[in-house]
Amino acid sequence: MDSAPRDTPDDPNPLHRLSLDALRRRTSMKWRTYPADVLPLWVAEMDVPLAAPVAGAITDAVALGDTGYPAGTAYATALADFARARWGWDGLAVERTAIVPDVMLGIVEMLKLITGPGDPVVVNCPVYPPFYQFVTHMDRRVVEAPLGEDLRIDFVALEEAFRRAATGGDRAAYLLCSPHNPTGVVHGAEELTAVAALADQYGVRVVSDEIHAPVVARGTAFVPYLSVPGAENGLALMSASKAWNLAGLKAALALAGPAAARDLARLPEEVSHGPSHLGIIAHTAALRDGRDWLDAVCAGIDDNRRLLAGLLDERLPRIGYRPAAGTYLAWLDCRPLGLGDDPAAVFLARGRVALSPGPGFGTGGAGHVRLNLATSPGILTEAVRRMAAALD
């Protein structure tokens, strides 16, 4: 790199604190999938140190030898308090929650409760690739409802998908991504209320993946699906993993609306054995005591959205980019560059930058890449420089 970031442990922005050398000592998927000369801006891991309250909670548990099986409702209580403080939502009932290993495995378990083999699951494409992988692996079939040109829910397409999914008496579900991955769109209350009404009209059950919920831009309000009118029979999955970089400490929560409580009560008891006890301790500490750290990260991501927009305007003006209000992901339209369906392959081979390939996100993904913004400004700047150089 032209100017590799150095460790700056006292910087208030966690995205500024770790050098590239320090990050390359990590052994997680992000830093071990590609050779050392590649800048990895693909999988959703953040280049940050662990929040101090989380590190302290884990250290204390290890010192005590508290490494057994998970128990209790501390995680759900912390999430309910966080939802009340951050989103003004008092409706997260601890008694209508269940711990699950992680969000995607929780989604699988929720879909097992409300659908059967061969039943349809509607998704808004382009969307997180595991939506396709997990749904088809559990013998359900994906029905696509493409997003609109504005990258928001297209309700004409959604209604048509619901109509097709409900044909023949199948038990249909809608796997909602909120905020949406990869576009970063944060669905508003009116949109979610319209989703609930349409789902009720066609008898479609909604399962909402809200793993990125805490990561929103300043001035943006996240709206939990279960908080809107008509969502009483919905199910949702939440976790602290994305917002506090805890993917390796497995734990998530399934939430049920009042009319879905009986569904959640049928969740097999053994599912609760999957989460890590240390994961639950870490996620609880993050939600309860890591809010200032989260604010600093979100401010840094806001800065990086602006930085990326400026860098692309300067170096790659033909790439289409709409800075989004949610997640730490950027969805880049590279079709004007003429690099084919998979521009990520070109940027990797010629520029040594790893991005997520668009085709894996389903219809609408070809010609696009997903870039992870949760890194230092220096790494982001160097990545765009390399991407531009790959076209020379």
Side-chain angles (χ1 to χ4, degrees), residues 95-388:
E95 65 273 16
R96 294 199 306 273
T97 67
I99 56 171
V100 293
D102 59 30
V103 164
M104 277 311 306
L105 291 178
I107 285 170
V108 167
E109 295 298 335
M110 296 305 102
L111 291 175
K112 286 180 180 178
L113 294 174
I114 61 175
T115 66
D119 284 341
V121 178
V122 176
V123 302
N124 295 124
C125 52
V127 73
Y128 184 48
F131 276 23
Y132 294 92
Q133 298 159 354
F134 280 76
V135 168
T136 55
H137 182 70
M138 63 183 295
D139 194 25
R140 272 61 170 173
R141 55 189 174 88
V142 172
V143 177
E144 292 187 323
L147 298 172
E149 289 295 323
D150 59 356
L151 303 182
R152 307 194 75 90
I153 296 172
D154 180 334
F155 281 92
V156 173
L158 186 63
E159 181 168 12
E160 174 57 26
F162 280 6
R163 183 182 294 110
R164 285 188 284 127
T167 300
D170 291 331
R171 293 191 294 168
Y174 172 38
L175 184 48
L176 173 68
C177 196
S178 181
H180 193 85
N181 174 2
T183 64
V185 166
V186 179
H187 309 301
E190 289 186 6
E191 289 170 300
L192 295 175
T193 301
V195 163
L198 203 60
D200 180 66
Q201 178 182 342
Y202 286 93
V204 175
R205 298 294 298 278
V206 178
V207 177
S208 185
D209 173 355
E210 301 182 352
I211 195 170
H212 287 278
V215 184
V216 295
R218 184 184 300 275
T220 299
F222 170 75
V223 180
Y225 176 71
L226 296 182
S227 72
V228 304
E232 290 79 11
N233 73 343
L235 296 157
L237 285 301
M238 289 189 175
S239 173
S241 63
K242 286 293 183 271
W244 283 271
N245 205 42
L246 303 176
L249 292 165
K250 293 285 189 179
L253 286 163
L255 289 59
R262 289 185 179 180
D263 293 312
L264 191 61
R266 293 188 289 108
L267 187 69
E269 190 270 341
E270 60 267 22
V271 174
S272 68
H273 299 175
S276 158
H277 181 47
L278 282 179
I280 288 174
I281 289 171
H283 289 229
T284 301
L287 290 162
R288 186 184 59 221
D289 302 318
R291 300 179 193 182
D292 290 343
W293 185 93
L294 175 65
D295 288 340
V297 165
C298 287
I301 293 166
D302 279 349
D303 290 342
N304 279 358
R305 290 189 187 103
R306 290 187 288 270
L307 174 62
L308 178 61
L311 291 169
L312 292 175
D313 281 346
E314 178 184 351
R315 304 297 300 267
L316 291 164
R318 289 187 291 165
I319 287 182
Y321 170 51
R322 303 177 187 180
T327 79
Y328 49 79
L329 307 167
W331 187 236
L332 307 183
D333 183 354
C334 302
R335 289 174 295 179
L337 300 179
L339 300 179
D341 287 347
D342 187 11
V346 177
F347 291 127
L348 177 61
R350 300 181 190 170
R352 311 307 286 160
V353 177
L355 306 168
S356 296
F361 293 82
T363 299
H368 292 71
V369 298
R370 192 192 71 177
L371 181 150
N372 182 347
L373 288 162
T375 190
S376 71
I379 289 176
L380 185 58
T381 300
E382 172 65 7
V384 175
R385 187 196 70 76
R386 293 186 182 193
M387 290 167 66

